[in-house]
Amino acid sequence: MEQWPPAADDALLAELGAALLDSGPVSEEFLNTALAAFSWRAVDAELALAELIFDSACDRESAGLLRSGGTDRTLTFRSGEVVIEIEVTATGIVGQLSPIGLGRVSARTTAGRYENVPTDSMGYFSMDSLPAGPVQFRARTGGHTVVTSWVSLR
């Protein structure tokens, strides 16, 4: 077995060059997803990014204490005083946006905007089930507009 990384720079460059040549073709779906994400990188530059602060897929024990049955996954995003809580179920998505009040929540996939729904006076909203793949949410309430990072819900 040869030493890795190679001691000589020329040997290292040869190894790296061979690795690049063997990468094979990139799938069309992967290219489309990458281009869609890249094309949207600056569209929401003026918006605050809502950070994922809870994901039941990572912490099932505390999710059970907070939620009743029927939820496949619960996520909570926060940016300053704006909080977006999302529950993914077999039939769709329900959530709450706070500060409570009238607002809008939209979901976008790599193919573009998926759904744009209003919140009620308590900040609740619901959406149909999302297609597979990464999703980004955008929320407006009480003079604040935030976007979440991309997340796969299933």
Side-chain angles (χ1 to χ4, degrees), residues 49-54 76-79 147-149:
L49 182 64
E51 177 184 3
L52 179 64
I53 59 171
F54 176 78
T76 304
F77 298 89
R78 174 184 289 269
S79 177
V147 294
T148 67
S149 56

Side-chain angles (χ1 to χ4, degrees), residues 8 15-16 36 50 62 64 74 77-78 85 90 92 94 96 115 135 138:
E15 286 277 339
L16 292 173
S62 57
T74 304
F77 298 89
R78 174 184 289 269
E85 292 183 283
V94 293
Q96 185 175 22
E115 194 161 1
V135 177
R138 177 181 174 146

